[in-house]
Amino acid sequence: CSTASPIACNDEPSMTEAMTGQVSSREFAASERILEAEVELVLVTRALDDVIAAFARQAVHERLLPDVQDVVRAGTRASLHLGFDASLRAVPGFSAWCDDVDALVDAYALLMGAEEVGVRIATLSRPMCPRFHVDQIGCRLLTTYHGPGTEYLHDQEVNRALLGPGSDGRPDETSGLRGPGVTVRRMPVGAVGGFKGGRWHEGQVQGVVHRSPHCDAPRLLLSLDRVS
């Protein structure tokens, strides 16, 4: 693992699914692959620290965290600007979780060359985006600290003509959007995903087809976007 990485990872080599434009790795350094023209998704799997995992579980089940949507400047401690109640400092694992959020914000800002980052933290009990879709953004970072992660498809497995209005109102499961036997993939808890959208470098790529997990299990989601 690169010592320059602010995020814990291990030394297993990365695995590239070259035909799909999607990269899976256990090294955070592989996140740089998202800058390659042919790569649309980079998934970095990692085991959350037990202290962070325990805090995230408590935060979800006790609704400790407010839903937050704000813009922070790169190079500052993002968690200090997100309006968390001071009483949270006494909750075991809160500081460690904040450190992880700050590290992800800084790493994302550096990778994207961003001066400002849009941060969203949400505790969810139902799918936020239940239909498969492509975000009309440049590149979004997603991680789920507790609960099921974001679901996605390989590009070769999708009939994009049946996204959105093209489905004529039919559910994704029956519209023909994905062929018979196609597996819906799901990000593991703690994994960090870089998802290119439809506005990456003026439409250079089509963007990753994804959706919220199809279940009602509660989860804690972090989402980052470049603002400027």
Side-chain angles (χ1 to χ4, degrees):
C1 172
S2 169
T3 56
S5 171
I7 298 167
C9 54
N10 62 34
D11 292 322
E12 293 189 20
S14 64
M15 182 275 290
T16 304
E17 299 179 52
M19 297 301 294
T20 67
Q22 299 181 359
V23 174
S24 178
S25 177
R26 297 192 183 213
E27 292 188 62
F28 195 78
S31 60
E32 296 178 2
R33 301 284 310 274
I34 198 65
L35 300 177
E36 298 176 12
E38 67 276 12
V39 174
E40 293 192 330
L41 182 151
V42 173
L43 182 67
V44 178
T45 58
R46 59 177 186 153
L48 285 177
D49 184 282
D50 290 344
V51 173
I52 295 175
F55 167 77
R57 181 169 58 251
Q58 182 181 359
V60 166
H61 291 290
E62 298 181 17
R63 295 290 302 193
L64 296 180
L65 294 171
D67 287 352
V68 171
Q69 193 162 0
D70 207 343
V71 175
V72 298
R73 290 197 61 81
T76 64
R77 288 208 61 181
S79 60
L80 297 178
H81 303 279
L82 297 177
F84 296 127
D85 193 282
S87 64
L88 284 170
R89 298 192 186 101
V91 179
F94 175 69
S95 293
W97 175 75
C98 285
D99 288 345
D100 194 73
V101 170
D102 293 339
L104 287 174
V105 171
D106 288 347
Y108 174 81
L110 181 63
L111 186 62
M112 295 289 111
E115 295 182 2
E116 294 182 314
V117 175
V119 180
R120 179 175 186 183
I121 296 170
T123 302
L124 305 166
S125 58
R126 61 180 60 88
M128 182 171 59
C129 301
R131 298 294 300 267
F132 278 114
H133 65 285
V134 174
D135 291 325
Q136 293 306 309
I137 46 85
C139 180
R140 175 167 290 159
L141 182 148
L142 295 172
T143 189
T144 303
Y145 284 102
H146 179 77
T150 300
E151 296 178 345
Y152 62 97
L153 297 169
H154 285 327
D155 185 59
Q156 290 84 348
E157 300 169 338
V158 180
N159 182 347
R160 289 178 180 263
L162 296 176
L163 287 171
S167 69
D168 198 26
R170 292 170 292 173
D172 290 340
E173 310 305 318
T174 60
S175 68
L177 174 70
R178 57 189 177 97
V182 169
T183 300
V184 176
R185 290 160 175 83
R186 178 180 288 178
M187 290 178 62
V189 64
V192 179
F195 286 68
K196 281 181 182 173
R199 294 185 182 176
W200 176 262
H201 287 188
E202 300 181 352
Q204 184 184 72
V205 298
Q206 296 183 88
V208 182
V209 176
H210 65 287
R211 70 181 181 188
S212 300
H214 262 214
C215 63
D216 292 329
R219 61 193 188 114
L220 177 58
L221 176 72
L222 170 69
S223 173
L224 304 180
D225 290 288
R226 175 176 179 167
V227 175
S228 65

